[in-house]
Structure formats: C-alpha cells, structure tokens
Amino acid sequence: MTELNQQTTYDDNNIFAKMLNGDIPYHKVYEDDKSLAFMDIMPQAEGHVLVIPKQKAVDLADLEPEYAAAVLMTSKKVMQAQRQVFEREGIIQMQLNGAQAGQTVFHYHIHLIPSSIHELGRHAAVMADQEQLANLAKQLAAVIDAE
Ligand code: AMP
C-alpha cells in the first residue's frame, strides 16, 4: 500500500520532467504544445520512440482528456513515420501503469516500437549508441515535417 501511494504522487524530478524543463538532453522526434516524442535511450528495437504529455501525469489514471488526445495524435504521426523509415507495417504501442506492471519512469508515456510481440527485446536493458539515436530521430522528424 505504501508503494502504491508513492507511485501516485508525481515526482517533479523524474527524468521526463527534467527533459520537459530542458535540464537534460534527448533526441527529439516531434513536439507540439501538449506532447513530446523522443528516442528511447535503451530501445527494445531499433527506432523505439516514447511519447509523453506536457502534463504532470504519473500514469493513465491522471491523464487529462486534451493531453490524452495530444499523445495519441502524436503517437499516430510517429507510428506513420516509423512505418516509412523502417519499411515495416508492425509497430507495437505499449504503455505500463505502475511498478507492478514494470513502469520505471513515473511520468505517463507511450512506447512505439518497430517490432513484433514475438521478437520484442528486453525492456530498458541496453543503452543505444547516441549518434545512431540522433540519426534515427532526424529521419523520423523529417518524415513528420514533410506531412
Ligand atoms: P517504463 O518502464 O514503461 O516506465 O519505460 C521507461 C522507458 O524510459 C524505458 O524504455 C527506458 O529505456 C526509457 N528511458 C529512461 N531514461 C531515459 C532517457 N534519459 N532518455 C530516453 N529514454 C529513457
């Protein structure tokens, strides 16, 4: 019960809050006034992107309607760009609620992973090459910008 209470309180110092504040670097794919998409630093497949709301939401329980709409519409843009860049139809959309489900960063986020449920790599296990992430972010951003 104690653990559950800790999770439901938003921590202003979580890593994604720091990104939104401009305190730590990340590889941006897309941004609008209510959402941000960036490369996952420990991808479960090449091209793994995270989409977050610009709202202090721990998980789905906290998400307000306009931010829910924003993260989904941004996810749609990112997924369409992933389909083009990686020349594959299959993109996993995943979102974990609570430590018990495996959530490790307590700011709501959607995972978009160019992979298959049968081939998905381990969760948050291996750090990606930064140059490669920057290059992928650039390719995805270019496709979104062109639409
Ligand atoms: P979850 O376990 O669903 O909370 O997912 C958190 C995700 O955040 C994992 O896939 C991590 O690889 C990713 N992650 C953690 N720190 C960073 C970071 N600094 N930049 C980008 N992604 C991160």
Side-chain angles (χ1 to χ4, degrees), residues 10-24 26 36 38 52-57 105-109:
Y10 187 84
D11 174 8
D12 283 313
N13 285 316
N14 80 71
I15 196 104
F16 296 168
K18 287 182 178 168
M19 287 180 187
L20 288 172
N21 286 335
D23 294 337
I24 61 161
Y26 55 87
L36 172 68
F38 55 88
I52 66 174
K54 294 183 178 178
Q55 186 216 322
K56 295 179 181 184
V105 178
F106 296 96
H107 181 116
Y108 176 94
H109 51 282

Side-chain angles (χ1 to χ4, degrees), residues 70-102:
V71 288
L72 266 190
M73 295 317 287
T74 295
S75 295
K76 183 173 161 178
K77 283 182 201 288
V78 170
M79 188 209 67
Q80 285 167 329
Q82 287 170 319
R83 281 186 163 167
Q84 211 169 304
V85 169
F86 300 105
E87 298 179 338
R88 61 173 291 130
E89 182 195 27
I91 308 292
I92 295 175
Q93 179 179 323
M94 178 175 85
Q95 188 262 312
L96 308 177
N97 297 289
Q100 200 174 39

